[in-house]
């Protein structure tokens, strides 16, 4: 019901505004003999305007209870809207039954125009924010596009306070702030961000790909659920990557940039933040093919979605896709056949499912556009890695929690584009480390090690152990 009223309320709102304002102007002009020919139309326009104003109040009443807007501001708007409807009915009656007293009709018409203007302003404030009229005057075009101000000392900056919060403020608060909470979602305070909206958790700590916020950002601009709405400023790829990185690192509100792990692609984002250029839209993502490609079949994508596989574009205005098997029902042949159907568009694949084994990897061996592949906590072995030998576009491979060994990894040493391999909790031994570094001299092999910083009051020093098990 709310969706129905939400769809038609904007039409019913603008209809009475237009009709009543035109009618009021006609009524004032008709006082002059020069515009006497307008008088016959006034009664009809007043009737139509009054009826549409009443229906607008009805739809507005139901929407007011949705919880999507600030209650106080909604209250003002609601009563002023009722005032517009009531005054338009009064004007209709006065115009019809007090034709000899034109002054009365004119006075009511002027008052109605003022009331319509005030009501419309409150409606604009509800929809676009209270500063929707003055915001463009406060900032020049370049500054208006910069959601995150330049951060000179990026490593010492607080991730949320200095980067994430300004981004949310400038791109999300107009729909999810103090005055409006579309989908019952607020993003202006930590508690509200973690609480989520009517569809559940907006972010899932440590799982950006499963977070509704990221999913909505990556939907095509034509999709009704895409955020922000297509008529509003969009996030750049750097800004989306920043949110993705923050969520994957636990969505902490108290950490500095230097405290979080920084993969190579995030180092580029942080450099852009330091220069104040993170908000500039990139023509191409750095880690998707430069070649344009046709869109995948909607039928094939639907088959994967029905199997519980989340398929979304890697970015706005891109036909390349990312697939996530976290919530897949299975990896049966029918599901993998559907994945093969989108092999040309598939560049990021999160194939993390308990049923994934060496045979499963044979099904993706022809997905040669893959750039990121995650096989964490699956049942693959060295035998399965043989299916990845010809993936020359592969840059990132995550094998955390698998049974692979250094011998198996050696099969991938000829991959031209590989840049990072994650090997935490694998069967790669400490003694294999030197040999692996020789096989992959330009590759960041991440074993999951970390270094605990030593404070002045500490009596022991903790050093990193070069161990991959």
């Amino acid at each position: 019901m709310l969706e129905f009223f939400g769809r038609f309320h904007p039409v019913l709102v603008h209809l009475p505004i237009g009709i009543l304002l035109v009618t009021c102007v006609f009524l004032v002009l008709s006082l002059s003999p020069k515009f006497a020919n307008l008088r016959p139309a006034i009664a009809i326009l007043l009737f139509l305007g009054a009826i549409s104003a009443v229906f607008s109040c009805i739809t507005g009443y139901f929407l007011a209870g949705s919880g999507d807007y600030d209650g106080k501001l909604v209250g003002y708007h609601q009563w002023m809207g009722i005032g517009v409807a009531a005054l338009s009915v009064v004007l209709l009656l006065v115009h019809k039954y007090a034709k000899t007293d034109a002054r009365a009709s004119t006075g009511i018409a002027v008052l109605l125009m003022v009331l319509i203007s005030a009501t419309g302003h409150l409606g604009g404030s509800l929809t676009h924010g209270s500063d929707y009229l003055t915001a463009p005057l406060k900032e020049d075009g370049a500054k208006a596009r910069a959601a995150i101000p330049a951060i000179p000392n990026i490593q010492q900056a607080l991730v949320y306070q200095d980067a994430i919060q300004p981004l949310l403020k400038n791109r999300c608060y107009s729909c999810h702030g103090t005055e409006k909470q579309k989908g019952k979602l607020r993003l202006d305070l930590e508690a509200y961000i973690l609480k989520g909206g009517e569809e559940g958790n907006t972010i899932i700590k440590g799982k950006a790909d499963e977070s509704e916020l990221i999913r909505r950002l990556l939907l095509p601009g034509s999709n009704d659920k895409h955020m922000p709405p297509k008529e509003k400023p969009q996030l750049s790829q750097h800004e989306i990557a920043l949110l993705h990185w923050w969520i994957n690192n636990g969505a902490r509100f108290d950490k500095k940039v230097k405290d979080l792990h920084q993969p190579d692609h995030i180092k580029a984002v942080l450099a852009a933040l330091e220069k104040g250029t993170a908000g500039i839209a990139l023509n191409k993502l750095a880690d998707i093919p430069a070649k344009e490609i046709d869109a995948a079949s909607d039928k094939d994508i639907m088959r994967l979605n029905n199997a519980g596989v989340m398929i979304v574009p890697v970015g706005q205005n891109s036909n390349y896709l990312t697939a996530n098997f976290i919530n897949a029902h299975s990896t049966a042949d029918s599901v993998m056949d559907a994945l093969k159907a989108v092999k040309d568009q598939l560049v990021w694949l999160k194939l993390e499912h308990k049923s994934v084994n060496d045979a499963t990897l044979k099904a993706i061996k022809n997905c040669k556009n893959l750039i990121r592949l995650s096989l964490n906590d699956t049942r693959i072995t060295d035998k399965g890695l043989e299916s990845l030998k010809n993936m020359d576009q592969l840059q990132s491979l995550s094998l955390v929690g698998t049974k692979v060994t250094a011998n198996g990894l050696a099969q991938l040493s000829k991959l031209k584009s590989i840049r990072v391999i994650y090997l935490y909790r694998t069967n790669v031994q400490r003694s294999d480390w030197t040999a692996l570094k020789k096989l992959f001299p330009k590759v960041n092999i991440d074993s999951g090690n970390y270094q605990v910083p030593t404070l002045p009051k500490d009596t022991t020093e903790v050093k990193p152990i070069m161990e991959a098990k």
Side-chain angles (χ1 to χ4, degrees), residues 145-146 171 233-239 276-285 316-317:
R145 291 192 297 270
R171 294 293 181 261
Q234 300 296 306
L235 277 71
S236 71
Q237 298 299 337
H238 275 156
E239 290 167 345
T277 59
I280 298 176
L282 303 177
N283 292 329
K284 301 289 181 185
L285 286 176
Q316 297 166 28
N317 304 316

PDB file of all heavy atoms in Angstrom, residues 145-146 171 233-239 276-285 316-317:
ATOM      1  N   ARG A 145      31.446  18.402  -6.036  1.00  0.00           N
ATOM      2  CA  ARG A 145      31.682  17.020  -6.426  1.00  0.00           C
ATOM      3  C   ARG A 145      32.571  16.285  -5.430  1.00  0.00           C
ATOM      4  O   ARG A 145      32.654  15.081  -5.456  1.00  0.00           O
ATOM      5  CB  ARG A 145      32.317  16.974  -7.817  1.00  0.00           C
ATOM      6  CG  ARG A 145      31.380  17.406  -8.939  1.00  0.00           C
ATOM      7  CD  ARG A 145      31.970  17.051 -10.293  1.00  0.00           C
ATOM      8  NE  ARG A 145      33.221  17.742 -10.557  1.00  0.00           N
ATOM      9  CZ  ARG A 145      33.290  18.925 -11.144  1.00  0.00           C
ATOM     10  NH1 ARG A 145      32.192  19.560 -11.512  1.00  0.00           N
ATOM     11  NH2 ARG A 145      34.456  19.494 -11.368  1.00  0.00           N
ATOM     12  N   ALA A 146      33.278  17.017  -4.586  1.00  0.00           N
ATOM     13  CA  ALA A 146      34.213  16.382  -3.653  1.00  0.00           C
ATOM     14  C   ALA A 146      33.486  16.025  -2.361  1.00  0.00           C
ATOM     15  O   ALA A 146      33.260  16.863  -1.513  1.00  0.00           O
ATOM     16  CB  ALA A 146      35.385  17.321  -3.361  1.00  0.00           C
ATOM     17  N   ARG A 171      26.748  12.272   0.348  1.00  0.00           N
ATOM     18  CA  ARG A 171      26.114  11.433  -0.663  1.00  0.00           C
ATOM     19  C   ARG A 171      24.878  10.686  -0.173  1.00  0.00           C
ATOM     20  O   ARG A 171      24.090  10.209  -0.990  1.00  0.00           O
ATOM     21  CB  ARG A 171      27.119  10.411  -1.205  1.00  0.00           C
ATOM     22  CG  ARG A 171      28.279  11.021  -1.992  1.00  0.00           C
ATOM     23  CD  ARG A 171      27.794  11.651  -3.286  1.00  0.00           C
ATOM     24  NE  ARG A 171      28.894  12.213  -4.057  1.00  0.00           N
ATOM     25  CZ  ARG A 171      29.231  13.499  -4.065  1.00  0.00           C
ATOM     26  NH1 ARG A 171      28.520  14.364  -3.319  1.00  0.00           N
ATOM     27  NH2 ARG A 171      30.232  13.950  -4.788  1.00  0.00           N
ATOM     28  N   PRO A 233      24.154  13.125  -7.154  1.00  0.00           N
ATOM     29  CA  PRO A 233      25.585  12.848  -7.381  1.00  0.00           C
ATOM     30  C   PRO A 233      25.941  11.416  -7.003  1.00  0.00           C
ATOM     31  O   PRO A 233      25.525  10.927  -5.949  1.00  0.00           O
ATOM     32  CB  PRO A 233      26.282  13.868  -6.466  1.00  0.00           C
ATOM     33  CG  PRO A 233      25.298  14.972  -6.308  1.00  0.00           C
ATOM     34  CD  PRO A 233      23.943  14.321  -6.302  1.00  0.00           C
ATOM     35  N   GLN A 234      26.708  10.760  -7.850  1.00  0.00           N
ATOM     36  CA  GLN A 234      27.065   9.356  -7.650  1.00  0.00           C
ATOM     37  C   GLN A 234      28.456   9.233  -7.012  1.00  0.00           C
ATOM     38  O   GLN A 234      29.280  10.135  -7.114  1.00  0.00           O
ATOM     39  CB  GLN A 234      27.047   8.621  -8.977  1.00  0.00           C
ATOM     40  CG  GLN A 234      25.698   8.647  -9.673  1.00  0.00           C
ATOM     41  CD  GLN A 234      24.618   7.935  -8.893  1.00  0.00           C
ATOM     42  OE1 GLN A 234      24.770   6.767  -8.523  1.00  0.00           O
ATOM     43  NE2 GLN A 234      23.515   8.628  -8.620  1.00  0.00           N
ATOM     44  N   LEU A 235      28.679   8.107  -6.353  1.00  0.00           N
ATOM     45  CA  LEU A 235      29.997   7.841  -5.768  1.00  0.00           C
ATOM     46  C   LEU A 235      30.962   7.432  -6.870  1.00  0.00           C
ATOM     47  O   LEU A 235      30.583   6.729  -7.814  1.00  0.00           O
ATOM     48  CB  LEU A 235      29.915   6.735  -4.731  1.00  0.00           C
ATOM     49  CG  LEU A 235      29.463   7.129  -3.318  1.00  0.00           C
ATOM     50  CD1 LEU A 235      27.981   7.475  -3.282  1.00  0.00           C
ATOM     51  CD2 LEU A 235      29.758   6.007  -2.324  1.00  0.00           C
ATOM     52  N   SER A 236      32.202   7.862  -6.724  1.00  0.00           N
ATOM     53  CA  SER A 236      33.234   7.435  -7.665  1.00  0.00           C
ATOM     54  C   SER A 236      33.678   6.019  -7.300  1.00  0.00           C
ATOM     55  O   SER A 236      33.364   5.501  -6.226  1.00  0.00           O
ATOM     56  CB  SER A 236      34.430   8.384  -7.606  1.00  0.00           C
ATOM     57  OG  SER A 236      35.141   8.202  -6.378  1.00  0.00           O
ATOM     58  N   GLN A 237      34.428   5.399  -8.199  1.00  0.00           N
ATOM     59  CA  GLN A 237      34.936   4.058  -7.918  1.00  0.00           C
ATOM     60  C   GLN A 237      35.867   4.058  -6.711  1.00  0.00           C
ATOM     61  O   GLN A 237      35.891   3.106  -5.927  1.00  0.00           O
ATOM     62  CB  GLN A 237      35.654   3.497  -9.151  1.00  0.00           C
ATOM     63  CG  GLN A 237      34.749   3.328 -10.369  1.00  0.00           C
ATOM     64  CD  GLN A 237      33.605   2.372 -10.115  1.00  0.00           C
ATOM     65  OE1 GLN A 237      33.678   1.531  -9.234  1.00  0.00           O
ATOM     66  NE2 GLN A 237      32.544   2.514 -10.883  1.00  0.00           N
ATOM     67  N   HIS A 238      36.646   5.124  -6.547  1.00  0.00           N
ATOM     68  CA  HIS A 238      37.516   5.224  -5.376  1.00  0.00           C
ATOM     69  C   HIS A 238      36.695   5.273  -4.095  1.00  0.00           C
ATOM     70  O   HIS A 238      37.055   4.657  -3.077  1.00  0.00           O
ATOM     71  CB  HIS A 238      38.384   6.484  -5.472  1.00  0.00           C
ATOM     72  CG  HIS A 238      39.634   6.271  -6.269  1.00  0.00           C
ATOM     73  ND1 HIS A 238      40.313   7.300  -6.887  1.00  0.00           N
ATOM     74  CD2 HIS A 238      40.341   5.150  -6.551  1.00  0.00           C
ATOM     75  CE1 HIS A 238      41.379   6.815  -7.506  1.00  0.00           C
ATOM     76  NE2 HIS A 238      41.416   5.517  -7.315  1.00  0.00           N
ATOM     77  N   GLU A 239      35.599   6.005  -4.124  1.00  0.00           N
ATOM     78  CA  GLU A 239      34.767   6.135  -2.919  1.00  0.00           C
ATOM     79  C   GLU A 239      34.077   4.821  -2.581  1.00  0.00           C
ATOM     80  O   GLU A 239      33.963   4.449  -1.401  1.00  0.00           O
ATOM     81  CB  GLU A 239      33.746   7.258  -3.140  1.00  0.00           C
ATOM     82  CG  GLU A 239      34.393   8.633  -3.157  1.00  0.00           C
ATOM     83  CD  GLU A 239      33.481   9.727  -3.684  1.00  0.00           C
ATOM     84  OE1 GLU A 239      32.438   9.405  -4.316  1.00  0.00           O
ATOM     85  OE2 GLU A 239      33.803  10.908  -3.496  1.00  0.00           O
ATOM     86  N   GLY A 276      42.963  14.802  -2.616  1.00  0.00           N
ATOM     87  CA  GLY A 276      41.635  15.371  -2.782  1.00  0.00           C
ATOM     88  C   GLY A 276      41.007  15.026  -4.113  1.00  0.00           C
ATOM     89  O   GLY A 276      40.107  15.722  -4.583  1.00  0.00           O
ATOM     90  N   THR A 277      41.447  13.913  -4.748  1.00  0.00           N
ATOM     91  CA  THR A 277      40.926  13.547  -6.064  1.00  0.00           C
ATOM     92  C   THR A 277      40.126  12.247  -6.037  1.00  0.00           C
ATOM     93  O   THR A 277      39.784  11.710  -7.088  1.00  0.00           O
ATOM     94  CB  THR A 277      42.078  13.383  -7.068  1.00  0.00           C
ATOM     95  OG1 THR A 277      42.981  12.354  -6.604  1.00  0.00           O
ATOM     96  CG2 THR A 277      42.838  14.684  -7.241  1.00  0.00           C
ATOM     97  N   ALA A 278      39.788  11.767  -4.847  1.00  0.00           N
ATOM     98  CA  ALA A 278      39.077  10.482  -4.751  1.00  0.00           C
ATOM     99  C   ALA A 278      37.676  10.558  -5.328  1.00  0.00           C
ATOM    100  O   ALA A 278      37.104   9.544  -5.709  1.00  0.00           O
ATOM    101  CB  ALA A 278      39.008  10.026  -3.287  1.00  0.00           C
ATOM    102  N   GLY A 279      37.107  11.761  -5.376  1.00  0.00           N
ATOM    103  CA  GLY A 279      35.741  11.896  -5.874  1.00  0.00           C
ATOM    104  C   GLY A 279      35.642  12.033  -7.366  1.00  0.00           C
ATOM    105  O   GLY A 279      34.545  12.078  -7.919  1.00  0.00           O
ATOM    106  N   ILE A 280      36.769  12.098  -8.062  1.00  0.00           N
ATOM    107  CA  ILE A 280      36.741  12.252  -9.511  1.00  0.00           C
ATOM    108  C   ILE A 280      36.429  10.909 -10.143  1.00  0.00           C
ATOM    109  O   ILE A 280      37.104   9.915  -9.888  1.00  0.00           O
ATOM    110  CB  ILE A 280      38.078  12.788 -10.039  1.00  0.00           C
ATOM    111  CG1 ILE A 280      38.346  14.185  -9.457  1.00  0.00           C
ATOM    112  CG2 ILE A 280      38.078  12.825 -11.556  1.00  0.00           C
ATOM    113  CD1 ILE A 280      39.674  14.768  -9.843  1.00  0.00           C
ATOM    114  N   ALA A 281      35.402  10.874 -10.962  1.00  0.00           N
ATOM    115  CA  ALA A 281      34.993   9.622 -11.603  1.00  0.00           C
ATOM    116  C   ALA A 281      36.080   9.135 -12.552  1.00  0.00           C
ATOM    117  O   ALA A 281      36.655   9.911 -13.303  1.00  0.00           O
ATOM    118  CB  ALA A 281      33.692   9.821 -12.366  1.00  0.00           C
ATOM    119  N   LEU A 282      36.344   7.854 -12.503  1.00  0.00           N
ATOM    120  CA  LEU A 282      37.336   7.259 -13.388  1.00  0.00           C
ATOM    121  C   LEU A 282      36.650   6.740 -14.647  1.00  0.00           C
ATOM    122  O   LEU A 282      35.556   6.200 -14.595  1.00  0.00           O
ATOM    123  CB  LEU A 282      38.027   6.085 -12.672  1.00  0.00           C
ATOM    124  CG  LEU A 282      38.703   6.430 -11.339  1.00  0.00           C
ATOM    125  CD1 LEU A 282      39.264   5.162 -10.744  1.00  0.00           C
ATOM    126  CD2 LEU A 282      39.786   7.462 -11.525  1.00  0.00           C
ATOM    127  N   ASN A 283      37.281   6.910 -15.781  1.00  0.00           N
ATOM    128  CA  ASN A 283      36.695   6.411 -17.011  1.00  0.00           C
ATOM    129  C   ASN A 283      36.668   4.889 -17.022  1.00  0.00           C
ATOM    130  O   ASN A 283      35.741   4.272 -17.493  1.00  0.00           O
ATOM    131  CB  ASN A 283      37.484   6.926 -18.220  1.00  0.00           C
ATOM    132  CG  ASN A 283      37.328   8.410 -18.390  1.00  0.00           C
ATOM    133  OD1 ASN A 283      36.292   8.960 -18.053  1.00  0.00           O
ATOM    134  ND2 ASN A 283      38.355   9.057 -18.905  1.00  0.00           N
ATOM    135  N   LYS A 284      37.704   4.289 -16.485  1.00  0.00           N
ATOM    136  CA  LYS A 284      37.787   2.833 -16.413  1.00  0.00           C
ATOM    137  C   LYS A 284      38.325   2.431 -15.053  1.00  0.00           C
ATOM    138  O   LYS A 284      39.188   3.095 -14.490  1.00  0.00           O
ATOM    139  CB  LYS A 284      38.732   2.280 -17.485  1.00  0.00           C
ATOM    140  CG  LYS A 284      38.326   2.637 -18.912  1.00  0.00           C
ATOM    141  CD  LYS A 284      37.096   1.902 -19.334  1.00  0.00           C
ATOM    142  CE  LYS A 284      36.708   2.237 -20.753  1.00  0.00           C
ATOM    143  NZ  LYS A 284      35.431   1.628 -21.156  1.00  0.00           N
ATOM    144  N   LEU A 285      37.813   1.337 -14.525  1.00  0.00           N
ATOM    145  CA  LEU A 285      38.388   0.799 -13.305  1.00  0.00           C
ATOM    146  C   LEU A 285      39.772   0.246 -13.616  1.00  0.00           C
ATOM    147  O   LEU A 285      40.014  -0.296 -14.693  1.00  0.00           O
ATOM    148  CB  LEU A 285      37.500  -0.324 -12.766  1.00  0.00           C
ATOM    149  CG  LEU A 285      36.183   0.104 -12.119  1.00  0.00           C
ATOM    150  CD1 LEU A 285      35.396  -1.121 -11.727  1.00  0.00           C
ATOM    151  CD2 LEU A 285      36.438   0.976 -10.919  1.00  0.00           C
ATOM    152  N   GLN A 316      29.301   1.068 -11.846  1.00  0.00           N
ATOM    153  CA  GLN A 316      28.260   1.706 -12.621  1.00  0.00           C
ATOM    154  C   GLN A 316      28.671   1.763 -14.088  1.00  0.00           C
ATOM    155  O   GLN A 316      29.830   1.960 -14.424  1.00  0.00           O
ATOM    156  CB  GLN A 316      28.016   3.113 -12.085  1.00  0.00           C
ATOM    157  CG  GLN A 316      27.521   3.135 -10.645  1.00  0.00           C
ATOM    158  CD  GLN A 316      27.621   4.505 -10.039  1.00  0.00           C
ATOM    159  OE1 GLN A 316      27.561   5.498 -10.738  1.00  0.00           O
ATOM    160  NE2 GLN A 316      27.766   4.569  -8.724  1.00  0.00           N
ATOM    161  N   ASN A 317      27.669   1.582 -14.957  1.00  0.00           N
ATOM    162  CA  ASN A 317      27.879   1.675 -16.401  1.00  0.00           C
ATOM    163  C   ASN A 317      28.900   0.659 -16.911  1.00  0.00           C
ATOM    164  O   ASN A 317      29.656   0.933 -17.837  1.00  0.00           O
ATOM    165  CB  ASN A 317      28.317   3.090 -16.792  1.00  0.00           C
ATOM    166  CG  ASN A 317      27.332   4.147 -16.331  1.00  0.00           C
ATOM    167  OD1 ASN A 317      26.134   3.954 -16.473  1.00  0.00           O
ATOM    168  ND2 ASN A 317      27.838   5.232 -15.770  1.00  0.00           N
TER     169      ASN A 317
END
